Amino acid sequence: MLKVRVKVKIMNNTVLDEETYSFWKLINKYNITIPMIQRDYVQGKEDKRINEIREKLINNIKLAIQGEKLLDFDFIYGSTKINEDNEEELSLLDGQQRITTLMILMNVLVKDFPEINKNSDEIFVADKDKIQNCILFQGRKNRLQLQTDPKYDSIFNDLIINCESFAEIDEPTKKELKLDAPQYKYINSAVFFYKKLSELNETELDEFVNYIFYSTNIIKIECTNQSFAIKLFQVLNDRGLELSPSDIVKSYIIGKVFVTAYFTVSYCSLRSQ
């Protein structure tokens, strides 16, 4: 199991707290929200580059298990807080595409491969119960909350969280995948993972999931102010799929709204004193 390393960076007079997590440690500690600033889910699209990203994820994990490649997910995250239910919540600055894809993968494993690691005597294994705990907090609340659009969270619940099996689900058509709505992309990713996992034997599947849970590096970076977080989002998001002009404009406007709202509240507070 990976050790946690913590270090502090200074960038433009802004303190960045950086910490390395395994996937299991991260998902077991936080409930995760994808805020309005984030673009919709696109990794389920059907084009050459995204197909390569999905294939590369699977192949790189296989190579890492064989000791031929070091895999580093290198996620970048945003702010953390204690929510109204007294739970630790992490609001993503970057990495929502990958964390949503991994959450879809977790659902495919639970629904269609429930025997995973059932007969293992190892301490650090990801069995059905542990994977289920990645999906639902205390068996009742989704670990992942989609806030990019009010209806997308319920769509994700209906199509992914509440799905009993992905074995018989049809792939979306090319026409459906070209639509802006993300539901077809959720399904496309789920079908892709079902097919790929079905190709693995029992031992390979156990090793595959254990590697994701305990041997991948996920970097969490906390920004100490909102405006810098927006700038960091604009700069770093090109590590995955390129931001569209609308994505950049959206993050810029929301950043201005946050700054303006903060200034207005602070100014009114000063006047009242």
Side-chain angles (χ1 to χ4, degrees):
M1 187 174 182
L2 295 174
K3 293 182 179 179
V4 176
R5 60 181 170 85
V6 181
K7 59 183 178 180
V8 176
K9 289 183 178 180
I10 305 294
M11 186 182 296
N12 295 336
N13 297 320
T14 300
V15 178
L16 299 179
D17 291 327
E18 179 186 296
E19 189 172 357
T20 302
Y21 285 69
S22 67
F23 174 72
W24 167 243
K25 180 183 175 183
L26 181 86
I27 207 73
N28 193 48
K29 181 175 182 179
Y30 294 107
N31 290 332
I32 298 176
T33 62
I34 297 178
M36 182 173 54
I37 185 177
Q38 292 282 9
R39 56 182 164 174
D40 296 331
Y41 182 65
V42 296
Q43 281 194 2
K45 290 173 64 177
E46 197 67 32
D47 63 36
K48 183 178 179 181
R49 187 181 178 193
I50 296 179
N51 286 340
E52 288 174 354
I53 290 173
R54 288 197 297 259
E55 291 285 351
K56 187 177 180 180
L57 172 64
I58 299 294
N59 292 333
N60 282 352
I61 292 175
K62 290 180 180 178
L63 290 173
I65 291 171
Q66 297 167 9
E68 298 178 15
K69 184 179 180 67
L70 177 64
L71 183 63
D72 196 331
F73 281 177
D74 195 30
F75 288 4
I76 304 296
Y77 287 95
S79 62
T80 59
K81 68 177 183 179
I82 303 297
N83 63 22
E84 61 275 9
D85 297 320
N86 202 33
E87 302 160 351
E88 289 194 81
E89 184 176 294
L90 187 152
S91 183
L92 296 185
L93 167 65
D94 179 39
Q96 72 103 341
Q97 298 291 328
R98 282 155 287 176
I99 204 71
T100 304
T101 295
L102 283 173
M103 194 60 71
I104 292 172
L105 172 60
M106 294 301 109
N107 276 273
V108 174
L109 286 166
V110 164
K111 311 301 170 52
D112 291 299
F113 304 92
E115 301 296 310
I116 192 164
N117 279 309
K118 182 178 180 180
N119 300 316
S120 176
D121 295 326
E122 298 293 327
I123 297 175
F124 297 116
V125 295
D127 58 13
K128 180 183 177 181
D129 290 341
K130 189 162 288 187
I131 298 170
Q132 185 66 38
N133 191 51
C134 285
I135 300 170
L136 297 176
F137 176 69
Q138 297 182 347
R140 59 180 176 81
K141 182 178 180 179
N142 291 351
R143 289 277 190 185
L144 179 66
Q145 302 285 325
L146 306 178
Q147 298 177 352
T148 51
D149 187 292
K151 62 180 179 292
Y152 290 161
D153 201 50
S154 61
I155 289 173
F156 192 83
N157 280 341
D158 292 341
L159 296 180
I160 303 299
I161 303 293
N162 297 329
C163 181
E164 295 183 0
S165 171
F166 299 95
E168 303 299 328
I169 292 181
D170 295 329
E171 292 181 80
T173 65
K174 291 183 178 180
K175 182 178 180 180
E176 289 171 333
L177 288 170
K178 288 181 180 179
L179 300 174
D180 289 335
Q183 56 260 43
Y184 301 111
K185 302 174 185 68
Y186 298 150
I187 291 296
N188 199 45
S189 287
V191 172
F192 168 82
F193 282 126
Y194 175 80
K195 290 180 177 180
K196 288 296 179 180
L197 295 176
S198 297
E199 296 172 0
L200 304 178
N201 62 39
E202 182 179 341
T203 300
E204 290 172 335
L205 186 59
D206 289 351
E207 290 177 343
F208 181 88
V209 178
N210 291 339
Y211 190 91
I212 291 176
F213 265 67
Y214 298 112
S215 299
T216 51
N217 288 338
I218 300 176
I219 310 299
K220 184 196 75 173
I221 295 179
E222 292 186 28
C223 301
T224 56
N225 69 68
Q226 186 73 52
S227 61
F228 183 77
I230 302 298
K231 292 177 182 177
L232 192 64
F233 166 80
Q234 294 167 349
V235 172
L236 294 179
N237 217 287
D238 64 359
R239 294 172 312 120
L241 296 175
E242 293 183 0
L243 290 174
S244 68
S246 63
D247 291 322
I248 296 174
V249 170
K250 178 182 177 183
S251 67
Y252 177 79
I253 292 173
I254 292 175
K256 289 293 185 182
V257 169
F258 278 126
V259 172
T260 302
Y262 175 79
F263 176 79
T264 302
V265 171
S266 300
Y267 177 71
C268 290
S269 177
L270 286 172
R271 285 195 60 185
S272 65
Q273 295 175 11

